[in-house]
Amino acid sequence: MKQLMILVYFCYLLTCSLTGTFAESKECKPFEWQCKSGQCISLDVKCDGIADCADQSDESSEFCLDTYCPNYTFKCAYGACVSGNAKCNGIKECYDGSDESKDFCDGNINYGMSSRSKETSFKIRSPRQAKAGPCRVTLGANMIISTKADPSFTFDDGDFLGDLANIKYSCTSGYSIFGRKENICFRGSWAYPQPKCIITCPNSVIQGITFRVTCSYNRTTISCEDAIRPGTVVTATCALGYMKPDGIALVDTLSCGANGEWDSIPHSCVPICGQQTTEEFSSALMDVTRVPWHVAIYQRSNRGVRFTCGGTIITSKIIITAAHCVSLKRTDPTKYIVLLGKNYIEYSAKEKLETQEFNVSEIHIPRGYLGENAYYYNDIAVLVLNEFIRYQSHIKPVCVEWRSHAKKDPPPDTLGKVAGWGRVSSNVSFSNELRAITLPVIDTNECIKKIPPEYEPFVNADKFCVGSPEGAGAPCQGDSGAGFLVAKDIDGIPTYFLEGVVSTSLSRDHCSSKSFVAFSNIQYHELMIREIEGNVTPK
Ligand SMILES: *[C@@H]1O[C@H](CO)[C@@H](O)[C@H](O)[C@H]1NC(C)=O
Ligand SMILES: *[C@@H]1O[C@H](CO)[C@@H](O)[C@H](O)[C@H]1NC(C)=O
Ligand SMILES: *[C@@H]1O[C@H](CO)[C@@H](O)[C@H](O)[C@H]1NC(C)=O
Ligand SMILES: *[C@@H]1O[C@H](CO)[C@@H](O)[C@H](O)[C@H]1NC(C)=O
């Protein structure tokens, strides 16, 4: 028996002709076939169009019908495989002459499994032939059965498929397959049990980045990615970094009904913004945890990836930075990479906390931005990331409070936090680690009085002025694009709001303390930012 199994397997690989009678050929040698009369012939001449048994049983439909014919051959009406050119070529190659039969060549009947046509190589429609070998296609409710290779090539209920035909099951819209998705015809029956098409509730309803779901069916936890059948119960909770919106009666559990519809939908949760990381990271409390919305922007070039600027997360897809950081290749967002959760400036530095990397899919810069030619008026840019950010305790958005009809500049003496990798001493270009300093807003008129007259034009309509008193440190090259973050007490929790973006430093003695910095005021760009936000709101 063991030897027989090996032979069967070996033959299977060679796609040689096998029939159920092989098992009975006890007296013949391996690779021989026993004719009905008992005579032994070579296995490879069985069902080849030429009778080798004295009783001609090797060329009869009884033993040939379920023979698998490779696609380069022609299948005779009784099942034998002959040359692919045999069809109606004037030479009788099938033992029964079916390759030259008048009805067949005139197109009146179609029994062949010609190599040329996909249709005939799979389908045998004649019930007469179906008796022995082929498998019958049974379409379950809402089911589609196709070839494995081509889902558009489908079968009808009652079709017969030849030995070793592979099929694939799928379902009509709204239904999903439960069970094995593929099957193979093997010696007249399907190798696996037929699956079922069951009505399912759409997964899209329970997918969102602002909430998390767990799914259970029949009291067992199942993957929410799988097809969801009626009776499945889903529990939704807000994802990390999100909370339930106020004033909305939240439905936290929903279930998939018998009609394939959800009984409710999970509410989107709203992001928790502006809160510093409270978790203690045992290794070191790094500055990225104090400014979890601060990001590093890098530029790709032939020479590699180079640090360019800082930026601030305001929503799960939007980063605010300075226009001068991204305007060199302003039409090409693919030049930039954004890294979140960075403490070290080096793109590939090993970090203690997990980082997230994004490509930029859009860069928006106000139309009126003309760079230095217009004294960096409108020096602000909105980057849209290619994917949604997954908030973590050290990767979060800052808050933004639009003051559409109120005074736009933060009041003088307001303290704001500014973070970055800017230069720390005159002989190095950048700081290796992220640092944050706190600086006060200076009244614009006072600022203009104190700065050299040639810098006055830089404090233009969309700017506010920030001072860097002696000893405080100062934003410098490398800090461009960083946010000015003002803390407010919200329900006892210090909560940070983005007010501006580092544009230019206003001092003869570049980057020293006792100087002034012009920040682009985001309030002047409310319309642009809100419009972009509206287009990329997560669920
Ligand atoms: C026959 O099938 C093989 C593999 O299944 C495929 O590569 C080949 O193109 C087919 N030939 C014809 C003539 O259909
Ligand atoms: C539910 O689970 C029980 C026990 O595990 C099982 O016997 C039953 O068949 C399952 N019902 C369905 C509908 O799957
Ligand atoms: C960014 O784009 C590059 C090039 O298209 C791609 O190889 C890379 O996987 C993308 N990275 C991310 C984080 O999407
Ligand atoms: C930078 O200068 C300081 C003192 O001026 C010196 O101690 C330090 O080693 C220098 N660093 C580098 C990287 O040259």
Side-chain angles (χ1 to χ4, degrees):
M1 188 59 198
K2 195 175 174 200
Q3 190 193 16
L4 177 67
M5 291 303 288
I6 291 163
L7 280 173
V8 167
Y9 180 61
F10 184 59
C11 269
Y12 197 122
L13 289 181
L14 294 173
T15 62
C16 71
S17 308
L18 281 180
T19 71
T21 55
F22 186 56
E24 293 151 25
S25 54
K26 289 184 194 88
E27 289 144 38
C28 293
K29 295 194 202 102
F31 295 107
E32 283 189 340
W33 186 74
Q34 194 166 34
C35 307
K36 220 170 174 182
S37 63
Q39 182 192 355
C40 295
I41 61 164
S42 173
L43 185 59
D44 58 9
V45 297
K46 172 180 166 279
C47 307
D48 65 348
I50 300 161
D52 296 280
C53 297
D55 64 1
Q56 294 144 27
S57 58
D58 63 324
E59 301 299 327
S60 65
S61 63
E62 184 181 359
F63 297 111
C64 294
L65 199 56
D66 59 354
T67 301
Y68 168 67
C69 294
N71 62 359
Y72 50 83
T73 63
F74 174 79
K75 192 172 172 79
C76 305
Y78 68 95
C81 313
V82 297
S83 157
N85 308 322
K87 186 177 172 183
C88 310
N89 64 354
I91 306 162
K92 202 175 117 177
E93 277 145 290
C94 291
Y95 187 70
D96 64 352
S98 54
D99 57 325
E100 303 298 328
S101 105
K102 192 172 177 307
D103 276 350
F104 173 60
C105 292
D106 290 349
N108 297 335
I109 56 164
N110 182 12
Y111 48 75
M113 296 187 84
S114 155
S115 59
R116 304 288 173 254
S117 131
K118 218 168 40 169
E119 171 102 13
T120 52
S121 70
F122 274 103
K123 291 199 179 190
I124 310 169
R125 284 181 178 274
S126 159
R128 179 177 59 83
Q129 296 181 336
K131 272 181 286 176
C135 304
R136 187 179 194 275
V137 170
T138 310
L139 273 182
N142 306 294
M143 184 178 277
I144 297 163
I145 298 180
S146 64
T147 67
K148 195 178 160 192
D150 180 4
S152 69
F153 187 71
T154 57
F155 300 109
D156 299 326
D157 195 58
D159 279 353
F160 286 90
L161 303 191
D163 202 32
L164 301 187
N166 279 294
I167 59 167
K168 196 175 162 67
Y169 300 96
S170 54
C171 301
T172 54
S173 172
Y175 290 78
S176 303
I177 281 285
F178 286 83
R180 215 187 136 96
K181 292 187 171 62
E182 286 168 9
N183 219 333
I184 181 164
C185 174
F186 192 67
R187 300 183 178 188
S189 59
W190 297 108
Y192 306 100
Q194 172 139 320
K196 276 197 170 74
C197 282
I198 295 176
I199 198 164
T200 47
C201 291
N203 290 70
S204 57
V205 170
I206 56 165
Q207 285 163 349
I209 65 153
T210 71
F211 54 85
R212 294 227 167 109
V213 287
T214 53
C215 296
S216 68
Y217 177 77
N218 195 14
R219 292 162 199 253
T220 310
T221 303
I222 59 161
S223 164
C224 296
E225 310 285 314
D226 293 346
I228 302 288
R229 67 182 114 172
T232 302
V233 176
V234 176
T235 311
T237 51
C238 293
L240 182 69
Y242 293 87
M243 61 183 180
K244 293 176 185 183
D246 290 341
I248 291 180
L250 263 179
V251 181
D252 280 329
T253 49
L254 51 153
S255 51
C256 175
N259 54 359
E261 282 170 23
W262 294 101
D263 61 354
S264 62
I265 55 165
H267 270 288
S268 296
C269 299
V270 295
I272 301 169
C273 61
Q275 293 184 9
Q276 290 175 318
T277 308
T278 50
E279 289 86 345
E280 290 289 336
F281 290 98
S282 53
S283 45
L285 185 63
M286 282 165 289
D287 270 331
V288 63
T289 64
R290 291 198 274 144
V291 283
W293 37 80
H294 193 77
V295 308
I297 301 169
Y298 297 84
Q299 195 178 324
R300 289 191 176 99
S301 74
N302 303 337
R303 284 162 297 158
V305 175
R306 195 166 53 80
F307 175 81
T308 301
C309 271
T312 308
I313 304 169
I314 62 160
T315 76
S316 53
K317 231 180 183 179
I318 293 181
I319 305 293
I320 303 286
T321 186
H324 78 261
C325 293
V326 289
S327 57
L328 278 176
K329 309 260 162 79
R330 61 192 294 172
T331 52
D332 191 1
T334 63
K335 285 277 181 281
Y336 297 96
I337 299 173
V338 177
L339 268 175
L340 283 51
K342 287 287 284 176
N343 186 51
Y344 299 105
I345 188 171
E346 276 304 317
Y347 169 71
S348 49
K350 195 167 153 34
E351 298 280 349
K352 294 199 182 81
L353 302 175
E354 193 189 330
T355 58
Q356 291 183 37
E357 179 171 337
F358 294 89
N359 284 329
V360 175
S361 59
E362 295 166 28
I363 296 177
H364 299 267
I365 290 172
R367 213 161 293 156
Y369 173 75
L370 297 171
E372 197 175 358
N373 296 338
Y375 303 101
Y376 294 104
Y377 178 51
N378 286 325
D379 189 7
I380 193 163
V382 181
L383 311 188
V384 179
L385 304 180
N386 64 325
E387 302 278 356
F388 285 107
I389 300 168
R390 182 174 42 86
Y391 293 145
Q392 290 175 268
S393 55
H394 66 293
I395 298 177
K396 303 175 183 175
V398 76
C399 304
V400 177
E401 183 181 50
W402 298 114
R403 292 192 293 269
S404 313
H405 303 292
K407 195 171 172 342
K408 292 195 190 315
D409 283 349
D413 300 328
T414 303
L415 292 177
K417 204 183 268 297
V418 182
W421 288 273
R423 188 157 72 175
V424 278
S425 67
S426 53
N427 59 354
V428 292
S429 49
F430 295 112
S431 156
N432 184 36
E433 287 192 60
L434 182 64
R435 297 176 316 139
I437 50 174
T438 300
L439 302 171
V441 172
I442 308 288
D443 174 77
T444 304
N445 293 329
E446 211 169 300
C447 178
I448 285 171
K449 269 186 240 160
K450 287 180 179 169
I451 56 178
E454 63 269 32
Y455 288 115
E456 251 188 68
F458 289 90
V459 188
N460 41 42
D462 76 331
K463 300 293 187 300
F464 63 85
C465 188
V466 165
S468 50
E470 197 154 15
C476 194
Q477 183 191 0
D479 292 322
S480 278
F484 187 78
L485 291 318
V486 176
K488 285 184 193 167
D489 186 305
I490 309 260
D491 300 330
I493 301 167
T495 305
Y496 285 83
F497 289 80
L498 177 66
E499 292 289 348
V501 175
V502 175
S503 174
T504 53
S505 184
L506 312 172
S507 162
R508 279 205 179 90
D509 189 5
H510 187 56
C511 310
S512 68
S513 38
K514 283 173 77 178
S515 75
F516 298 90
V517 181
F519 280 76
S520 301
N521 187 337
I522 64 155
Q523 297 293 335
Y524 289 94
H525 305 285
E526 176 181 349
L527 285 182
M528 174 178 85
I529 297 171
R530 292 184 81 164
E531 189 184 330
I532 300 161
E533 260 179 22
N535 293 338
V536 291
T537 308
K539 187 171 82 168

